[in-house]
Amino acid sequence: MDELLDLTEIPKSDEMYMIAGWRQWADAGATSSALPRYLVKHTKARRIGRIKSDGFYLFQLPGTHHFLRPEVKFKDGHRREIRLNRNEFWYTGNEKKGLVIFSGDEPHLGAERYADVFFNAAAELRVKRVVALGGVYAVVPYDKDRNVSCSYSLLSMKDELDDYALRYSNYEGGVSIGSYMAHWAEVKGAEYVAMHAFVPMYDFSQLAPDLQGITVENDFKAWYDVMRRVNHMFGTHVDLGDLERQAEQLAESIGAQVDEMEERAPQAHVREYMAKLTEDFAEMSFMPLDDVWDRELGDIFKDME
């Protein structure tokens, strides 16, 4: 086993899959950092290992103070808590199908070695495919399905991915950890998909200088729309009812903020601005056949009642 890899358990599920996220740059809506932690708690997953932090992180950069340092909390002079860099593997599942949940911190140094350890772990755990999470902010409607962009490791995967209502990335620029891992997955011949959800963010200053913008910190709708794809791809059955409810509450909350802005600054025409966004938006909804049947049958039963 890799010296930087500490696995305390190798689950014995017949099929193993992994979902991975990081505290990272491309983390709009906390899709990469908070969704894995939500899944750990929601599924009551157990910790099965970690990547050791040796050589991957800086303590500081000249001229910065809090940017990279670990965070500490004292009470009456005694350390009560310290937040160190963590890269942990968790597991939930049964003898037939297992889901590894990876929650990590984007490395500052040794990215190639970090990727090597990560995929060594996937091999040790017999993971068939990794889905990595990310989010990017965009001016998109808050009450529509989130569009999801993807990059992937092996050309042989594309025909299957066509079925998941994904936008294939044509991005050029600085690499995110998710996209960086896609490169190393291809080098290792591993199946890997990086999904980046488009998360709503609005700057209303062009409408009225005194209007505050809206930024979605935890985009439960993005989490829900990504996880619907992951559930279908992996054949897992993570209960998404809670996320669906939180997504609906999020849409109501943003709608209330828009209404408040319209009342406070009617000259800004915020509702008209949002309506134009919706009119110009090309929604890519993921609707697998089994979900279509469930929805149609539900409508039939409601009509019968």
Side-chain angles (χ1 to χ4, degrees):
M1 186 181 294
D2 194 305
E3 62 180 6
L4 292 181
L5 182 59
D6 178 19
L7 291 178
T8 57
E9 179 187 351
I10 306 293
K12 302 301 182 183
S13 300
D14 293 340
E15 287 188 1
M16 294 285 287
Y17 297 92
M18 186 191 296
I19 189 166
W22 291 266
R23 288 204 307 169
Q24 59 147 323
W25 164 49
D27 190 27
T31 308
S32 182
S33 61
L35 176 51
R37 295 198 301 270
Y38 169 86
L39 292 172
V40 166
K41 184 176 181 180
H42 182 65
T43 65
K44 298 180 173 60
R46 62 181 183 267
R47 185 178 179 274
I48 60 169
R50 67 186 178 112
I51 295 174
K52 299 176 185 178
S53 296
D54 306 32
F56 294 130
Y57 299 100
L58 293 166
F59 187 75
Q60 67 165 338
L61 286 175
T64 66
H65 182 55
H66 294 299
F67 183 55
L68 299 174
R69 296 173 188 266
E71 296 177 359
V72 67
K73 182 185 294 184
F74 288 96
K75 184 174 182 180
D76 296 329
H78 181 255
R79 177 196 57 79
R80 301 301 300 270
E81 182 180 338
I82 188 166
R83 205 292 180 192
L84 301 173
N85 293 300
R86 295 177 182 172
N87 295 277
E88 297 178 318
F89 298 94
W90 303 74
Y91 168 81
T92 182
N94 53 43
E95 61 181 15
K96 291 185 177 180
K97 190 152 304 198
L99 179 65
V100 176
I101 304 167
F102 176 81
S103 177
D105 287 302
E106 184 178 48
H108 308 146
L109 300 166
E112 183 174 341
R113 180 74 176 101
Y114 181 93
D116 193 50
V117 182
F118 179 86
F119 286 108
N120 286 344
E124 288 277 352
L125 294 167
R126 300 175 295 107
V127 169
K128 294 182 65 175
R129 177 177 292 179
V130 178
V131 167
L133 306 170
V136 292
Y137 282 116
V139 184
V140 293
Y142 65 87
D143 54 353
K144 297 294 183 181
D145 287 351
R146 303 295 186 254
N147 286 346
V148 180
S149 171
C150 91
S151 56
Y152 58 96
S153 57
L154 305 178
L155 284 173
S156 58
M157 300 169 62
K158 187 175 184 301
D159 286 346
E160 177 197 343
L161 294 175
D162 286 343
D163 296 333
Y164 289 92
L166 297 165
R167 287 187 173 182
Y168 295 110
S169 176
N170 291 304
Y171 168 78
E172 296 181 13
V175 69
S176 68
I177 183 66
S179 301
Y180 182 81
M181 288 295 200
H183 164 73
W184 288 106
E186 183 173 10
V187 170
K188 291 178 173 291
E191 292 191 6
Y192 176 98
V193 183
M195 294 188 186
H196 289 80
F198 289 88
V199 174
M201 181 177 69
Y202 310 117
D203 176 9
F204 297 123
S205 61
Q206 76 274 20
L207 303 179
D210 60 335
L211 280 183
Q212 291 185 338
I214 296 176
T215 301
V216 181
E217 293 185 2
N218 291 289
D219 190 357
F220 302 112
K221 177 58 173 169
W223 300 9
Y224 175 69
D225 287 343
V226 167
M227 283 306 303
R228 288 182 64 243
R229 290 167 168 85
V230 171
N231 256 350
H232 195 72
M233 181 180 289
F234 290 171
T236 47
H237 297 89
V238 177
D239 181 6
L240 303 182
D242 176 62
L243 278 185
E244 186 174 19
R245 286 188 293 274
Q246 292 194 69
E248 292 170 354
Q249 292 169 6
L250 175 65
E252 291 173 1
S253 174
I254 297 175
Q257 292 179 64
V258 170
D259 290 343
E260 181 183 344
M261 290 179 183
E262 182 71 22
E263 292 177 11
R264 182 156 50 89
Q267 74 282 2
H269 304 291
V270 176
R271 284 201 191 113
E272 182 179 332
Y273 171 83
M274 300 301 293
K276 186 68 167 62
L277 278 185
T278 300
E279 180 183 338
D280 296 339
F281 181 63
E283 186 177 27
M284 294 182 66
S285 298
F286 174 60
M287 187 59 66
L289 187 59
D290 51 354
D291 283 9
V292 173
W293 275 108
D294 288 344
R295 180 172 296 184
E296 292 295 333
L297 288 172
D299 289 343
I300 291 172
F301 287 138
K302 285 180 182 178
D303 291 341
M304 292 173 64
E305 290 172 359

